[in-house]
Amino acid sequence: MNGIGASPPRPDGFAKVSGAARYLDDLSLPGMWHGATLRSPHAHARIRSIAWDAALAPDGAVCVTVGDLPGPNGVQLIDDGWPILAGAFTHHVGEPVALVAAPTRLAAQQALQAFTVTYEPLDAVLSLEAAEALPPLYQLGMDSGDVDAALARADLVVEGEYRTGHQEHIYIECNGMIASYAEDGALTVLGSMQCPYYVQKALTHALGLADEQVRVRATTVGGGFGGKEDFPSAIALHAALLARACGRPVKLVYDRHEDIVCTSKRHPTLVRHRTGVTRDGRLAALDIEILMDGGAYTTLSSVVLSRALLHSFGPYRCADVRIRARALRTHTAPNSAFRGFGAPQVEFAIERQMDRIAHRLGLDPLEIRLRNAVAPGDRLPTGQILDAGTSALPCLEEVARRTRFRERRQELEAARARRAAEGDEDQNGAEPRRGIGLSLYFHGAGFTGNGERMMKSPVTARLLPDGRIEVLTAMTDMGQGCSAVFPQIAAAAGGLLPEDVTFAEPDTAEVPDSGPTVASRTTMIVGGLIARVTAALRDRVLEGLPGHTVRDGWIESPAGRVERFRDAARRLRAEHGPVELTLRHEPPAWQTFDETTYRGAAYPTYAWGADVVEVEVDPDTLAVRPLQVTAVCEVGRAIHPTLCAGQIEGGTLQALGWALLEEMKLEDGRYLNDRLATYVIPTILDSPRIDVHLLESHRDGGGPFGGPFGAKGVGELPMDGGAPAVAQAIENATGIGVPAIPATPERLLAWQRAGQTPGGVR
Amino acid sequence: MSTAFLLNGRAVEADGHPMSRLLDVLREQLGHTGTKEGCGEGECGACTVRLDGSPVLSCLVPLFQCAGRRIETVEGITAAPEGPLRDALERFVATGGVQCGACTPGIVVTLASLLASNATPSREEVRTALAGNLCRCTGYEGILRALAPAEPER
Amino acid sequence: MIALSPRSLDEAVRHLADDPALVPVAGCTDLMVRGPEALHRMDRVLDLLGLPELRGICAVSEGLEIGAATTFTEIRHSAAIRAAFPALTAAAEQVGGWQIQNRGTLGGNLANASPAGDSLPVLLALDATVILAGPAGQREVRMDGFHTGYRKTALAPGEILVRIRLPHPPAGTVQAFRKVGTREAQAISKVVVALAGHVEGGRIAGIRLAAGSVAATPVRLRAAEAAILGSSPGLVTAERAGRTAAREVQPIDDVRSTADYRRFALERVVRRMVLGLT
């Protein structure tokens, strides 16, 4: 029985284990050619000329330059300010300048040499500091109460500045698309993507095609993490332009180097905190400034900034809050969606600031959080009143209990004090320095603000001739497992067996636009719709059968007669012809948000978590090894606990990679870590034991926000907690202050020499 | 130039430049797309195959060095698994060892080699064996659950 | 395109003499990283993997000889190496993952001549001799003369690296290896250090220290060696060794680390290793 809370094997499991699953690069169409992209070597330059010498291009290769575009030179996302190909100027290294297609991948690469481009290099803006004085790409603010007065009244004002760096997604399957035109001019695009309808919109906008002329189908997606939210639209356009130019299907697949060079990253961020606190450690005023490096074009930075603003105060109570947030423009590739979408950066900052405050007041990290964490009925600075499922304190208490946080921390502090007293702080003892750290975090589930209200996502269900229910959504399974979770939801909501329900592949020609597979909305928002539409279609089957009930796929009459649901559905389908229902998501009426003041309920609900991380730091190399993570999370009801835990485990390790290893160094606007040998992500030997505990607050039915069976979004939550917990653990182990990540050994050494301590610079 | 070798027990011939990557030959010429390219430079392990029984990275093996050798891909290794491998593959799906699946074929090939010599590996033995296979989805916990018995917490 | 797979060392040497443009290859783990486009431009390679003279680990009167085409897996699993040269076993265990260890060879690591090559400081510390074969026969080059500059070796045109000889270390020799990498596995080193030394009558009677990733080639840390030879082991000596080592190298800032950090880590690791001399 695959009920809610069971963990059935995922339907694509064996195909993936055996190599049978087909990803984009595993596909080939008859007559297909291969594309390649000419990219700017300059961070900022005027393009004087582009010449193509057909004689140098092998095998009849064709090219596309900006002059060949049939419509506007913009990838339509929120707006179309992101060029498909660089025009008169190039604004970042790796920006696409021209395209080629040739019969083989190798020939396409070779054909790039047939271009001669004349650039006139210009000055480039390459850091947040340099960008700060210039007009931003986007800015936002929020005010609650009177911050200046509250700061003036506070017993103590603590300042802090916290930085986070670029992070590259490193989905194991690189980005790629195949485009092909039919004889009637209709375009079909296959590819690895999170948002088929985003891709369709970009194609119709730039190519001047009608919706019904453009069909977009997602293939098996080998990881996304946000990296396949906006970028696939650009690649689809490139592939389509090449297919149009050569009159054949064209495959455009990035190798790892190209994928790292040109696709989006997590926004590097600088957060400045000025916090007023009372003597007993309560927050009295939060004055927050957020600077995010948006790169060369806005793409999704406005909405990333929005989510950043709305998580920058952390899961804490404070009435007097001022937040100023800016996305700044630099001459680097656009930074964009990455799991957490702005929240991990600002939650790193507020958690570090809480630790600094605790240090100044002589409180331990658990105590400062216990005194300030929000509880049900509390207001966030936005004015949103928190629901009964507000689990900051239960998560914190449970993680502290499970890890004996206080006792363990005292043991480790005592060990450090003993070493210091013996004059052996960095001397003879070869044994690694142990440290423990804790974080508290939250994540708003679903689109920010009025996003869901504007989209009103539809999901369709219809009866198949064999009596099964087919559910149609545009969601892609990029590994997170919606292909397993959706059937569980539909079966449970309809009183059916999993085999009574089937799901359509994400294909814009078949499925309605149920929105993008992003923002931790898949289970909570679309899953909720699946529950409703399946139940509604079941009721449609029962319409002629008063008093009948459905359970486990069987219909029972008042007289006790039973019949397979599928038989009754097949009869109805045979008698009435197609039976189909579409329902749209409607946020609860109470969830209103003012986009100008940033006041109101920005999210229907929040998921909560607390992490404890234990690390060891090598006394000779300052290398940090995370040993054990305990994550206690409250995500409402876990529909599929194994997959739910998998999200938390994987997200936690991504957070640790971001905190410790993953660094993107820039030189003249070029990423130096542009290969997997130099951009290092955690191997299995870098990974701690990750122990996940789920607190299920909504076990008895739906929450106030309409998630199916009480489920909240989980995908992004775990990205928020790992980094600040690790930073605290390093401080605990070494006494070196950690104001930024990644906390590489090189930086720890520099901070140690600069006198950086947990309380700030000595 | 033609190179003959055994692929999953079957004699095959592949044409191509001697320095062609075995990975490309398998995928593009011989239709064995289960072997994935994750980085093309020997960092990620997604393209792992067995060469004369040992796991190697097919992106780093030139075609000409395969002449007369025995190559096994994920398709061959999982076609009729037996014993500990069969059990491990079932658990692999059940315990969350698979998410996006792009690293999975390489991990399966490496694990098949481990299990061939050690039917009941410890957590540390699995970790050592998989040091050359990157996974970005699972945090490796689901993979370890499938293979290694729970050990007492540190 | 010519890809030759000779069956004997003599045949390989003849090929190379006839056609100096042939590129000798073995496990190809460094070469193949260039990618298809560059690889397809190569037109002459000479495969050394199949040469019996380049395979195997065998005892000789002075010590142990390791064929140049011996893989890191074979080194890892060699009981003879583990017994006599545990530092080399330790280095082999940290070269990439299993898949790389199954292909990468000791001779390849030497000939590729990366200053970050994991095994190279070990061979320096163990006083290895490299045996080369060419048209004029075989000759021997001491390990500390083999790497002549950034990615340059003493291999003359037409020569093939055949074997590496490790002499028996003096009784009581302590060996140590430490790779400070970018992560725990599959890492390129930021600093890699090896030591072989022994103590007699309360004095350090022999010491060889070597490091990689701190200069254009793997280097012997001769000043540090000189600073402690004849001293009594202990903290003062260890700290002197570390400080001296950090002063005598020329590390750089690069994508993996900084010059500052490399000096720091080298100092600490050398100090730690010398503390282990008893």
Side-chain angles (χ1 to χ4, degrees):
Chain A
M1 183 58 212
N2 296 330
I4 302 301
S7 290
R10 52 184 307 148
D12 54 1
F14 197 73
K16 286 176 171 178
V17 164
S18 63
R22 290 272 182 264
Y23 297 77
L24 186 275
D25 199 22
D26 302 336
L27 304 174
S28 188
L29 298 183
M32 183 177 83
W33 278 20
H34 295 263
T37 310
L38 184 72
R39 299 185 179 280
S40 166
H42 299 286
H44 189 200
R46 186 189 307 275
I47 298 177
R48 287 278 177 213
S49 64
I50 302 176
W52 163 258
D53 184 347
L56 292 177
D59 305 329
V62 300
C63 75
V64 169
T65 61
V66 71
D68 301 320
L69 299 182
N73 183 15
V75 182
Q76 177 67 37
L77 297 166
I78 297 168
D79 59 31
D80 74 345
W82 181 28
I84 299 167
L85 292 171
F89 295 89
T90 172
H91 290 105
H92 66 87
V93 171
E95 184 163 16
V97 170
L99 307 164
V100 295
T104 66
R105 204 171 290 202
L106 208 57
Q109 286 297 323
Q110 287 161 349
L112 293 176
Q113 282 144 24
F115 283 111
T116 309
V117 184
T118 317
Y119 296 95
E120 178 190 335
L122 302 168
D123 288 344
V125 177
L126 295 170
S127 68
L128 276 172
E129 284 76 7
E132 198 178 345
L134 302 170
L137 290 168
Y138 199 77
Q139 58 189 327
L140 289 168
M142 199 228 42
D143 294 275
S144 164
D146 186 341
V147 172
D148 293 320
L151 283 169
R153 272 199 312 274
D155 294 327
L156 178 69
V157 174
V158 178
E159 298 195 22
E161 214 177 89
Y162 308 100
R163 280 167 194 273
T164 61
H166 281 104
Q167 187 178 24
E168 162 58 42
H169 306 83
I170 312 287
Y171 27 67
I172 298 297
E173 181 209 20
C174 289
N175 265 293
M177 292 280 160
I178 297 173
S180 63
Y181 279 91
E183 280 182 12
D184 65 358
L187 171 64
T188 298
V189 169
L190 305 175
S192 185
M193 67 187 81
Q194 295 175 229
C195 316
Y197 275 94
Y198 280 12
V199 175
Q200 190 201 39
K201 189 166 73 169
L203 290 165
T204 54
H205 177 80
L207 302 175
L209 297 170
D211 284 354
E212 54 277 12
Q213 290 174 290
V214 178
R215 175 179 188 178
V216 178
R217 292 168 59 194
T219 47
T220 309
V221 181
F225 316 118
K228 292 171 184 172
E229 178 169 350
D230 59 1
F231 220 90
S233 296
I235 305 171
L237 274 164
H238 293 167
L241 288 163
L242 287 169
R244 194 169 156 270
C246 70
R248 300 161 171 277
V250 170
K251 180 192 272 190
L252 187 52
V253 174
Y254 290 172
D255 68 15
R256 180 62 61 184
H257 170 70
E258 185 170 27
D259 199 295
I260 295 179
V261 164
C262 71
T263 68
S264 57
K265 316 267 176 284
R266 185 185 300 288
H267 291 71
T269 300
L270 166 61
V271 184
R272 299 187 177 117
H273 272 279
R274 201 151 61 101
T275 308
V277 285
T278 63
R279 205 163 287 113
D280 63 351
R282 288 174 211 281
L283 299 181
L286 281 168
D287 190 6
I288 306 172
E289 182 181 20
I290 303 165
L291 302 178
M292 304 191 101
D293 180 346
Y297 304 104
T298 307
T299 62
L300 301 176
S301 284
S302 57
V303 275
V304 171
L305 193 70
S306 168
R307 185 175 281 271
L309 185 154
L310 292 162
H311 289 76
S312 64
F313 36 77
Y316 303 110
R317 270 188 315 272
C318 186
D320 296 293
V321 179
R322 174 169 58 215
I323 308 167
R324 295 292 177 266
R326 280 181 286 165
L328 302 175
R329 183 170 187 198
T330 62
H331 290 104
T332 61
N335 296 309
S336 187
F338 193 146
R339 193 180 209 164
F341 213 68
Q345 295 97 312
V346 296
E347 294 198 52
F348 173 76
I350 184 71
E351 287 297 277
R352 297 274 56 213
Q353 178 74 352
M354 293 301 279
D355 291 343
R356 183 170 289 189
I357 293 166
H359 186 85
R360 293 278 175 86
L361 293 172
L363 296 174
D364 80 26
L366 176 59
E367 189 57 36
I368 189 89
R369 288 170 174 80
L370 288 170
R371 290 187 191 179
N372 289 286
V374 288
D378 282 345
R379 277 178 191 275
L380 289 177
T382 51
Q384 178 169 6
I385 298 173
L386 290 166
D387 61 42
T390 297
S391 305
L393 284 166
C395 287
L396 197 53
E397 284 159 359
E398 180 63 12
V399 82
R401 188 187 69 76
R402 285 186 170 273
T403 59
R404 297 174 49 249
F405 177 77
R406 258 198 187 121
E407 296 87 329
R408 183 69 182 137
R409 188 166 186 277
Q410 277 161 10
E411 282 167 28
L412 295 170
E413 293 265 285
R416 193 154 68 85
R418 199 164 51 241
R419 284 198 305 269
E422 288 163 2
D424 195 29
E425 181 50 41
D426 58 6
Q427 298 297 316
N428 297 332
E431 80 280 6
R433 311 316 194 207
R434 288 269 185 128
I436 194 167
L438 168 149
S439 67
L440 179 64
Y441 51 98
F442 73 140
H443 204 87
F447 266 125
T448 300
N450 300 315
E452 296 290 353
R453 178 158 283 118
M454 290 188 297
M455 285 202 314
K456 292 188 171 37
S457 304
V459 166
T460 298
R462 62 187 176 206
L463 291 184
L464 296 177
D466 66 6
R468 286 181 303 158
I469 291 180
E470 184 181 39
V471 182
L472 301 95
T473 83
M475 314 320 282
T476 66
D477 192 334
M478 55 191 129
Q480 85 281 33
C482 64
S483 58
V485 169
F486 282 175
Q488 281 182 283
I489 292 173
L496 306 175
L497 296 172
E499 55 266 34
D500 295 331
V501 188
T502 178
F503 278 75
E505 295 298 317
D507 174 346
T508 59
E510 299 289 333
V511 302
D513 181 6
S514 49
T517 316
V518 304
S520 309
R521 67 186 291 277
T522 304
T523 297
M524 190 179 86
I525 303 292
V526 181
L529 271 169
I530 289 167
R532 282 172 51 211
V533 78
T534 309
L537 194 60
R538 172 206 58 197
D539 291 347
R540 177 81 181 75
V541 173
L542 294 184
E543 258 172 27
L545 305 167
H548 287 55
T549 54
V550 183
R551 215 177 122 197
D552 295 342
W554 292 86
I555 299 179
E556 188 173 349
S557 74
R561 244 169 19 89
V562 294
E563 177 188 24
R564 282 295 307 272
F565 172 83
R566 217 193 274 190
D567 294 335
R570 187 168 52 221
R571 233 173 23 244
L572 179 73
R573 176 71 172 73
E575 289 164 12
H576 287 260
V579 180
E580 183 174 306
L581 280 175
T582 296
L583 293 181
R584 287 179 171 274
H585 179 66
E586 194 58 58
W590 60 263
Q591 196 212 331
T592 59
F593 185 72
D594 185 330
E595 307 270 1
T596 55
T597 61
Y598 262 62
R599 308 274 303 164
Y603 301 96
T605 192
Y606 296 83
W608 308 88
D611 285 355
V612 167
V613 178
E614 194 159 328
V615 303
E616 63 180 29
V617 182
D618 186 296
D620 291 331
T621 66
L622 297 177
V624 179
R625 218 153 74 118
L627 300 173
Q628 165 92 35
V629 180
T630 305
V632 175
C633 297
E634 190 274 305
V635 294
R637 189 76 198 268
I639 306 284
H640 188 301
T642 297
L643 287 172
C644 182
Q647 285 297 296
I648 295 168
E649 290 156 353
T652 298
L653 187 61
Q654 263 179 358
L656 298 187
W658 181 50
L660 293 173
L661 298 175
E662 298 177 35
E663 183 173 23
M664 200 53 94
K665 294 180 185 172
L666 276 160
E667 188 178 273
D668 300 328
R670 189 173 74 81
Y671 301 130
L672 296 180
N673 311 64
D674 57 2
R675 303 183 303 133
L676 222 43
T678 49
Y679 186 83
V680 294
I681 66 169
T683 68
I684 198 167
L685 292 182
D686 296 282
S687 306
R689 186 184 292 270
I690 303 173
D691 198 3
V692 173
H693 300 279
L694 299 174
L695 300 182
E696 296 193 72
S697 71
H698 288 289
R699 190 171 277 286
D700 300 324
F705 42 81
F709 306 98
K712 302 176 185 178
V714 63
E716 296 170 287
L717 176 76
M719 193 73 217
D720 297 336
V726 161
Q728 192 194 99
I730 295 170
E731 291 186 349
N732 181 237
T734 65
I736 304 170
V738 179
I741 51 169
T744 59
E746 286 79 2
R747 288 177 165 191
L748 289 171
L749 176 63
W751 290 330
Q752 184 174 44
R753 288 178 175 168
Q756 190 71 246
T757 73
V761 178
R762 202 156 39 205
Chain B
M1 189 176 135
S2 180
T3 306
F5 55 92
L6 274 181
L7 176 58
N8 297 326
R10 202 165 48 84
V12 295
E13 281 197 30
D15 288 321
H17 193 283
M19 293 304 290
S20 296
R21 306 184 304 176
L22 174 60
L23 169 67
D24 297 328
V25 174
L26 289 172
R27 289 178 52 81
E28 291 168 14
Q29 215 181 112
L30 301 171
H32 282 54
T33 54
T35 305
K36 306 300 179 194
E37 174 166 354
C39 69
E41 55 174 3
E43 291 290 326
C44 75
C47 69
T48 303
V49 300
R50 283 203 300 215
L51 173 64
D52 288 348
S54 300
V56 301
L57 300 170
S58 62
C59 74
L60 298 184
V61 176
L63 174 61
F64 83 95
Q65 285 186 335
C66 299
R69 311 288 290 272
R70 193 156 50 81
I71 310 287
E72 291 160 281
T73 66
V74 68
E75 290 94 340
I77 285 167
T78 60
E82 288 175 0
L85 179 62
R86 186 193 56 215
D87 298 345
L89 294 179
E90 278 172 17
R91 284 202 306 274
F92 205 80
V93 177
T95 60
V98 179
Q99 285 191 31
C100 87
C103 72
T104 306
I107 286 178
V108 167
V109 174
T110 307
L111 287 178
S113 298
L114 170 68
L115 292 171
S117 62
N118 181 355
T120 55
S122 68
R123 186 175 167 104
E124 278 319 299
E125 285 166 337
V126 176
R127 278 161 51 93
T128 302
L130 289 179
N133 290 85
L134 295 177
C135 169
R136 190 60 154 172
C137 292
T138 63
Y140 304 102
E141 281 292 346
I143 295 166
L144 286 163
R145 270 198 296 275
L147 268 296
E151 283 173 17
E153 289 188 13
R154 276 174 286 208
Chain C
M1 168 77 202
I2 298 168
L4 299 173
S5 300
R7 293 280 146 224
S8 73
L9 179 61
D10 282 349
E11 190 190 341
V13 168
R14 273 200 310 278
H15 282 312
L16 207 50
D18 293 345
D19 183 355
L22 280 168
V23 178
V25 303
C28 295
T29 53
D30 285 308
L31 178 71
M32 296 295 288
V33 171
R34 296 178 191 179
E37 208 196 340
L39 293 171
H40 283 234
R41 282 200 301 268
M42 295 184 70
D43 67 351
R44 326 174 91 67
V45 298
L46 180 68
D47 187 9
L48 305 182
L49 267 191
L51 303 182
E53 296 89 339
L54 271 64
R55 302 302 294 243
I57 299 157
C58 61
V60 294
S61 58
E62 312 95 298
L64 211 58
E65 282 191 0
I66 304 172
T70 303
T71 66
F72 288 108
T73 298
E74 290 162 342
I75 291 171
R76 264 182 69 186
H77 291 147
S78 160
I81 292 177
R82 190 177 291 273
F85 306 103
L88 185 58
T89 306
E93 284 169 349
Q94 292 187 44
V95 176
W98 274 14
Q99 298 95 322
I100 297 283
Q101 291 164 11
N102 281 334
R103 290 280 295 169
T105 65
L106 187 62
N109 211 218
L110 273 158
N112 188 53
S114 160
D118 291 326
S119 68
L120 307 181
V122 180
L123 299 182
L124 282 168
L126 296 178
D127 197 18
T129 294
V130 181
I131 301 161
L132 314 176
Q138 297 202 351
R139 68 179 179 115
E140 299 192 350
V141 179
R142 292 284 295 273
M143 182 62 199
D144 49 14
F146 184 73
H147 289 109
T148 55
Y150 179 69
R151 296 223 172 229
K152 287 199 171 72
T153 71
L155 276 165
E159 278 188 323
I160 289 169
L161 204 166
V162 184
R163 287 190 304 282
I164 296 96
R165 187 168 64 237
L166 298 174
H168 290 302
T173 292
V174 171
Q175 297 177 28
F177 171 79
R178 178 78 198 263
K179 174 175 175 175
V180 182
T182 47
R183 61 183 165 196
E184 292 290 323
Q186 287 281 84
I188 307 177
S189 66
K190 296 172 175 180
V191 174
V192 53
V193 189
L195 166 149
H198 66 281
V199 175
E200 274 174 31
R203 302 277 158 193
I204 295 173
I207 180 75
R208 296 176 69 91
L209 271 162
S213 290
V214 293
T217 63
V219 288
R220 279 273 296 281
L221 301 170
R222 291 178 192 276
E225 290 171 1
I228 62 168
L229 187 65
S231 302
S232 54
L235 184 58
V236 173
T237 298
E239 296 198 327
R240 189 162 68 243
R243 276 196 311 274
T244 311
R247 275 201 301 268
E248 70 178 296
V249 295
Q250 299 85 38
I252 57 166
D253 287 350
D254 68 7
V255 67
R256 289 193 299 282
S257 190
T258 62
D260 263 0
Y261 177 79
R262 288 180 154 123
R263 280 210 168 83
F264 164 83
L266 178 69
E267 176 173 348
R268 293 304 198 86
V269 170
V270 165
R271 173 180 162 285
R272 181 74 59 200
M273 285 180 173
V274 174
L275 272 177
L277 276 180
T278 50

